[in-house]
Amino acid sequence: MTVISSKPYTITAEATRIFNSLVNDPRLDVPETVKCAARHVTIQARHEVPFLPTPLKMTESSTALWAYLSAWSLAIMSARYGLGEETAVIDSEQATLYLLSFALVRFNGVPILDERFASRIAQYDTGMSSEPYRAMATNIYPTRDGKFYYLHGSLNATRILRMVDMPDSQPELTRDEAIVAHTENLSQNFDSHWLEITANERYKQAGTVCNTFEEFLASEHGKAIKDDPIYIVKQVDASLPAVGWPEATKGSGRPLEGIRIIDFSRIIAGPAVTKLCALLGATVIRISSNPHQTDWAALMFDGNLGKRDTSLNMKSEEGKDAFEALLLGADVIMDGFRPGSLDRLGFTRDYMRLLARKRGKGLILARENCYGWKGPLQHRSGWQQISDCVTGAAWAQGKFLGLDEPVLPLLPNSDYQTGICGAAAILDAVYKRATVGGSYTVDLSLNQYNVFFQKQGLLPEVEQERLLRRHKGELDFRHHDDVFNLLAKMTKFFAKHEPELLDPKMYAKAKSNWGEEGEVVEYIKPPAFFSSTRLFPDVGTTRAGAHRPQWP
């Protein structure tokens, strides 16, 4: 009788497999210099078996993408600085904590959810999301036809509440009472298909029926994007010459020194792209909220790390003129708003390419959305939770827990990992502009990432069973657990089961520009450690509108 043996599952082996698949993905057209650099990237793990209570390969995927980002970084550092055999080590525990970045930020040792920071958060909350009833308009609920639907109030729930015939405000309700009110309303009065079409087409608000991964791949939109890589870089205006590398005045040896990036995005995925670029040495200016636009300060504490922030009224001629002046001095623009937002303001890709041609130097036009950039749903707005529900990640989590309902993945995984994809794409485009010439477009989306992510498969059943046994009686996650409730539960989970991961050595420090003299922000260290340089933010973190709209 033949005995078939198999090696035990390890995070290092699986992350390495995913990393190698990225480096050798023909759709990404990775140059030989990067493939050579990839051989000098090492993955290490203190936890060799999965420790997150999920069947999804979050740790493995994040570690692999950080390795891929590091291979590009090493190749550019070699080209720019003539370094020898630089190496990089990726710490899988840090790569996991990266997925919890904003929730772990501290100011002078105090967590950001402490009541001392309530006033900072409230000043940007013009949509009154601090009211539990309005906040719970963003959640998964059962519907009258037996489906589950992700209702999303965006940053101001008024429109979606009116769509489902609910009052604008019920401040007397607790969180649990609000969940009951929304559950009863949707399960008794609305079908999932009506909700999805009405929200997205009539009210222009995000929302989706919760699919399995197989259902998504079989849909028309799934078929349109299922073969896309994690990002798509295309050369445009090939007549523009190669620009070489800018002067590296900071002297840190980071790959993006001298590169100027405009960040036109908010919440997590887009800001994560540019935050990573800032850690890699880029000079980043974020165009932030004007007084009429809601934002989440709790996300900005981490999302604005390494950036200057200027507030522009992009609907005024003065604001548009200031934005165009920034564009003329930029190397990259990252657009993470609803598809078509810049077009409606007069800054189409064609116009921005024209500006690049006018100055004789290529521009990288990066954009990120939820659904992807082809297929019948590409015009829709969306968020991390929408992508996790439409592509099936939420159903995978719910089934793992033994539930007949979808549950959001326990961390904002697709947001933060799309951020790594975007940073790698920008390195890719910057490298090509420096060596080949031209302007470039970069397209990435939460759904592109989520398809790649779920194609890696779930954890082996033996690992899933081990996790369920280890945490029996503790995994009280349900369909109505929103992102912030999940993060609160997961922070407690780490404190109980993996306390060493919250040790001060996992943190780095930077200056804070949030209005208090001498304040220091503490943030999770990047998981990539290079042999001759380190990744760090040049300007700490900052409140909205703290800087003038001009390059330093």
Side-chain angles (χ1 to χ4, degrees), residues 185-414:
N185 183 45
L186 266 66
S187 63
Q188 295 173 14
N189 301 318
F190 296 97
D191 292 336
S192 59
H193 181 70
W194 184 92
L195 287 166
E196 179 167 3
I197 299 302
T198 304
N200 285 282
E201 306 303 333
R202 166 67 175 83
Y203 285 84
K204 305 300 181 185
Q205 299 294 296
T208 184
V209 175
C210 296
N211 299 307
T212 65
F213 187 43
E214 293 73 23
E215 287 171 337
F216 175 72
L217 293 179
S219 70
E220 289 305 308
H221 194 77
K223 291 174 184 176
I225 73 161
K226 66 182 179 63
D227 295 322
D228 283 349
I230 56 171
Y231 62 77
I232 298 170
V233 173
K234 290 184 178 178
Q235 185 192 51
V236 291
D237 293 338
S239 63
L240 289 171
V243 298
W245 299 104
E247 184 181 0
T249 57
K250 299 172 186 176
S252 69
R254 290 171 294 169
L256 288 181
E257 280 200 22
I259 298 296
R260 293 174 169 180
I261 300 177
I262 296 173
D263 178 359
F264 189 70
S265 68
R266 59 177 172 171
I267 309 305
I268 297 180
V273 173
T274 49
K275 181 190 83 168
L276 297 185
C277 289
L279 293 174
L280 292 165
T283 299
V284 180
I285 291 181
R286 179 181 181 240
I287 311 299
S288 71
S289 306
N290 62 54
H292 308 291
Q293 185 182 70
T294 302
D295 212 325
W296 283 90
L299 303 179
M300 290 165 59
F301 297 146
D302 176 71
N304 264 8
L305 195 66
K307 305 175 188 179
R308 293 162 176 83
D309 191 300
T310 189
S311 292
L312 295 178
N313 181 355
M314 291 290 289
K315 295 184 179 179
S316 72
E317 289 306 313
E318 294 79 8
K320 291 178 182 179
D321 287 345
F323 183 71
E324 184 162 321
L326 287 172
L327 270 174
L328 287 169
D331 299 288
V332 181
I333 176 169
M334 177 68 232
D335 175 12
F337 274 82
R338 180 190 295 263
S341 293
L342 275 176
D343 293 359
R344 289 187 289 274
L345 294 170
F347 293 95
T348 64
R349 278 188 160 189
D350 283 345
Y351 182 66
M352 290 190 285
R353 285 165 54 188
L354 182 67
L355 291 178
R357 195 179 306 135
K358 176 182 176 182
R359 71 181 186 182
K361 178 182 176 183
L363 179 65
I364 294 160
L365 306 164
R367 60 183 181 179
E368 174 271 327
N369 75 352
C370 175
Y371 284 91
W373 298 98
K374 58 187 177 184
L377 307 183
Q378 63 182 292
H379 65 286
R380 290 185 177 182
S381 65
W383 309 82
Q384 166 237 315
Q385 308 100 304
I386 298 295
S387 180
D388 291 344
C389 287
V390 75
T391 64
W395 263 114
Q397 181 65 43
K399 290 178 179 178
F400 164 75
L401 296 170
L403 302 172
D404 190 23
E405 62 188 45
V407 175
L408 285 179
L410 309 182
L411 305 173
N413 178 71
S414 57

Side-chain angles (χ1 to χ4, degrees), residues 55-228:
L56 300 161
K57 297 176 181 177
M58 294 184 185
T59 294
E60 298 88 334
S61 174
S62 181
T63 303
L65 283 169
W66 272 100
Y68 181 71
L69 179 71
S70 297
W72 273 100
S73 298
L74 289 176
I76 291 176
M77 289 157 63
S78 177
R80 292 192 68 174
Y81 309 119
L83 301 176
E85 289 192 353
E86 286 292 290
T87 61
V89 176
I90 311 302
D91 185 298
S92 67
E93 282 77 18
Q94 293 281 169
T96 306
L97 290 181
Y98 162 76
L99 306 176
L100 205 62
S101 288
F102 87 83
L104 297 180
V105 167
R106 306 185 300 211
F107 287 100
N108 290 351
V110 180
I112 62 165
L113 296 181
D114 187 274
E115 61 182 12
R116 280 169 278 187
F117 301 112
S119 60
R120 294 189 191 182
I121 294 171
Q123 66 179 309
Y124 297 99
D125 183 22
T126 59
M128 297 167 52
S129 296
S130 59
E131 181 185 314
Y133 163 76
R134 289 176 63 83
M136 291 304 100
T138 298
N139 226 334
I140 300 173
Y141 295 109
T143 59
R144 188 171 58 184
D145 56 339
K147 301 279 190 178
F148 283 87
Y149 180 78
Y150 198 96
L151 188 73
H152 204 299
S154 297
L155 299 179
N156 187 329
T158 299
R159 284 176 61 80
I160 213 72
L161 288 168
R162 293 178 181 178
M163 183 191 83
V164 295
D165 300 324
M166 294 282 276
D168 290 357
S169 175
Q170 296 193 74
E172 71 280 5
L173 297 185
T174 65
R175 180 183 180 276
D176 289 344
E177 290 168 341
I179 289 171
V180 170
H182 288 300
T183 299
E184 290 180 349
N185 183 45
L186 266 66
S187 63
Q188 295 173 14
N189 301 318
F190 296 97
D191 292 336
S192 59
H193 181 70
W194 184 92
L195 287 166
E196 179 167 3
I197 299 302
T198 304
N200 285 282
E201 306 303 333
R202 166 67 175 83
Y203 285 84
K204 305 300 181 185
Q205 299 294 296
T208 184
V209 175
C210 296
N211 299 307
T212 65
F213 187 43
E214 293 73 23
E215 287 171 337
F216 175 72
L217 293 179
S219 70
E220 289 305 308
H221 194 77
K223 291 174 184 176
I225 73 161
K226 66 182 179 63
D227 295 322
D228 283 349

Side-chain angles (χ1 to χ4, degrees), residues 470-472 474 490-500 502:
R470 181 188 183 196
H471 302 296
K472 186 176 181 179
E474 295 182 313
M490 286 305 296
T491 302
K492 291 179 181 177
F493 173 89
F494 276 106
K496 178 179 179 180
H497 294 287
E498 314 293 342
E500 74 279 6
L502 301 180

Side-chain angles (χ1 to χ4, degrees), residues 496-513:
K496 178 179 179 180
H497 294 287
E498 314 293 342
E500 74 279 6
L501 296 187
L502 301 180
D503 188 273
K505 68 183 180 183
M506 310 300 271
Y507 282 82
K509 296 180 180 181
K511 291 182 179 179
S512 166
N513 184 14

